[in-house]
Each structure stands twice: as structure tokens, then as C-alpha cells.
Amino acid sequence: MDPVLSSKPRFHLDLWLCFTIQNLILDVGRPVAMLVFPADWIPLNRPGVAEYLHLLYNIITPLILLKMLERSPRKLPLLAIQLGIISVVIGSTLQFVADAITRRLLLIGYQLHLSVRENPVIQTLKTSSLIEAFELLFYFDGTLGHLMWYVPLFLVLFLFFSGSFSRRKQEEKMPPAGWMLLTPNAAYYWFLITEGQTFILFIFTLFAMTATVMHQRRRGFVPDSNGLFMLYSFCAALLLVAVWVVCLWDDGVLRKKHPGLIYVPQPRAVYTLLLQNYSWT
């Protein structure tokens, strides 16, 4: 049997429902929890609600990714799977620690739309090595942690997509449940791209998915319901990102924060910029 052909293609509602709900609650919900729950509700030297959500995310996400790989007709060597899952856990843990410290910095006036050295809170430090320590912290958060977290994540998504094809005569439409999950799933990808600064990874994954569709069509295969769901979700997320960038295109402060050709402002940086006179609860 062809490695991308499933004898009975079906929409994995349980998988996509768990994937979407846990991402929205445990990942997107973290910055929301920082805003909703009072800062003094839990002592600052102990984990808060956002940290517990992040901890649950670090546990549940690898299990969902493993389930995706289990259901994909395309199989990876066991060593590659183990290294990928370990990388996701380490990367998300690096961000877990960095986010916890960042939250405490926000409470004393740190502004995410400014670089580390431009922040008034950091400029009050007398020792330059302390500033470099904070720069290292944000390097672990925004660069190394994101690479170790998101590269395996997008690879798993692409691997699952590459196995979601059926023969042209079995061409399927996306079920109603898929359409219901499309908007929240696309919204999560938007969050992943903007807050996680993963636009390059995302766009390369989308290009690879499109190229796979073109290649499989020439062989007589078309995306099944799972493949359509992923493809439509990625396209909808790209549209959301385009609208987001256009709305903030002329902001000079965010432009300085995100220099270069790829300009995708972070939502939390937009929040601290637009509401910088308000306290971060």
C-alpha cells in the first residue's frame, strides 16, 4: 500500500479537538492569565497561574505530538522521534523559566516593545554584567528556546500532513466538525507566528505543504479531510497575520523592536506599548 494512502481516511476529531483546546488554554491562556489574575494573588517567589498552565503544556503537548506521529502513515526512526520530543520539552522548558522571570520584570516596569538595553528598568542596573545576564535570559527565551520548541513541532505537523492523502476517486470534503475547529485552530497558529516569532518556520512549512499537494496530485492523490483541515488552517492563519501586520505597519517603535525584512510584531509587545501607562496585573 502507498505510504501516504490510508485505507479508510477519517477525520481525527479527537486529536484535533485536544490539540486546539490545550493550545488555546495552556499556551494562549498564559498571557491572558497574567492580565486577569492579580499579581499579589500568589507570592512572586512561587509559581503563579501562568506558570502552572505552562507546566501542563510542557507535559501534554509531547503526548499529543506522539499521538500524531502514531496515527501518521509516514513513520520516522525511533531515535528521530525521541530526539524531537526531547527537543520540544527542553525548548518549552527554557521558555517556561524565561517567561516566569519576564512576568516579574513586567511588574516593575519592564517594557516588551523595547530592547533589553533600552528598558529604563535595566538601565538602572549599575553592573554591565547584569545587563548581559538579562540579554542571555531573553536569548534563551526568544531564540534558542523557540528553535528547540518550534522546529520539531512544525516538522511533526508537516509529517502528519504528508500522510493525509487519499486516492482522487476517494476525494473528501472537510466535515462540519473541521469547519467548527478551523477558526480557533487558525487563531492559535496566528499566536504561534506572532508571539513565538515563527513566521519563517511557518511559511516554509506552508510552502512544503503546497509542494506536497502538487506532487501528490500528479500521482493521483488528494488531501483527505485531515489534510484539508491543516491546509485551510494554515492559509487562514496567514491571512490573520497579514491583517495584523498591515494594522501595525507604520508603528515606528515596533519597527525598531522588529528590524529587518520580516516584520511581525509580538502581541505582548503591542500591549506594553499601547497600554504602558497601566500596571501589569
Side-chain angles (χ1 to χ4, degrees):
M1 183 174 64
D2 192 281
V4 299
L5 179 59
S6 175
S7 57
K8 291 183 178 181
R10 66 182 183 88
F11 184 70
H12 298 298
L13 176 60
D14 58 336
L15 188 63
W16 292 121
L17 187 62
C18 291
F19 180 78
T20 302
I21 290 178
Q22 73 96 23
N23 284 330
L24 291 177
I25 295 177
L26 303 182
D27 199 2
V28 181
R30 286 187 289 110
V32 176
M34 293 181 187
L35 299 174
V36 172
F37 293 97
D40 57 356
W41 193 51
I42 295 176
L44 294 181
N45 61 350
R46 294 292 183 269
V49 176
E51 284 78 49
Y52 284 116
L53 290 177
H54 203 156
L55 186 61
L56 287 173
Y57 179 91
N58 291 358
I59 296 173
I60 296 175
T61 298
L63 298 177
I64 293 179
L65 295 180
L66 286 172
K67 182 60 67 174
M68 278 189 174
L69 293 173
E70 179 184 311
R71 294 192 183 183
S72 174
R74 290 191 182 277
K75 303 299 181 182
L76 284 177
L78 180 59
L79 180 60
I81 294 175
Q82 293 171 338
L83 290 176
I85 296 301
I86 290 172
S87 178
V88 169
V89 173
I90 293 176
S92 58
T93 301
L94 286 174
Q95 193 173 41
F96 167 68
V97 176
D99 277 356
I101 298 174
T102 301
R103 176 173 177 265
R104 275 70 180 171
L105 290 174
L106 291 170
L107 294 173
I108 59 173
Y110 190 87
Q111 301 174 54
L112 290 171
H113 60 276
L114 300 176
S115 67
V116 175
R117 292 183 180 270
E118 291 175 337
N119 262 270
V121 174
I122 303 299
Q123 290 175 350
T124 60
L125 298 175
K126 301 297 183 181
T127 307
S128 60
S129 59
L130 285 177
I131 299 177
E132 293 171 351
F134 280 108
E135 288 180 329
L136 177 62
L137 170 70
F138 285 98
Y139 171 78
F140 280 140
D141 180 19
T143 303
L144 183 61
H146 281 185
L147 286 175
M148 295 185 68
W149 181 358
Y150 293 127
V151 169
L153 174 62
F154 279 104
L155 284 175
V156 170
L157 290 173
F158 174 71
L159 181 69
F160 186 88
F161 176 80
S162 67
S164 300
F165 287 83
S166 59
R167 292 195 181 278
R168 192 181 297 273
K169 63 182 180 180
Q170 297 175 318
E171 188 167 359
E172 295 184 39
K173 295 181 179 180
M174 199 162 68
W179 288 110
M180 292 178 62
L181 289 175
L182 180 62
T183 298
N185 198 51
Y188 173 68
Y189 289 140
W190 168 85
F191 178 81
L192 208 62
I193 298 164
T194 55
E195 189 62 39
Q197 294 293 287
T198 59
F199 179 78
I200 294 178
L201 277 173
F202 172 84
I203 203 67
F204 271 105
T205 304
L206 181 57
F207 285 159
M209 291 166 63
T210 304
T212 302
V213 171
M214 296 172 62
H215 172 69
Q216 294 297 341
R217 281 188 178 276
R218 289 196 295 267
R219 300 179 58 209
F221 295 99
V222 293
D224 63 14
S225 55
N226 296 285
L228 290 174
F229 175 73
M230 295 185 67
L231 195 60
Y232 292 165
S233 296
F234 269 60
C235 291
L238 184 60
L239 179 61
L240 292 176
V241 172
V243 173
W244 173 258
V245 171
V246 168
C247 291
L248 300 168
W249 186 259
D250 295 326
D251 193 292
V253 176
L254 293 174
R255 278 282 182 180
K256 189 176 181 181
K257 172 70 174 179
H258 302 283
L261 296 176
I262 307 299
Y263 171 68
V264 181
Q266 290 180 293
R268 286 198 301 172
V270 173
Y271 176 87
T272 59
L273 173 63
L274 299 180
L275 301 175
Q276 56 186 335
N277 292 327
Y278 295 86
S279 61
W280 190 282
T281 59

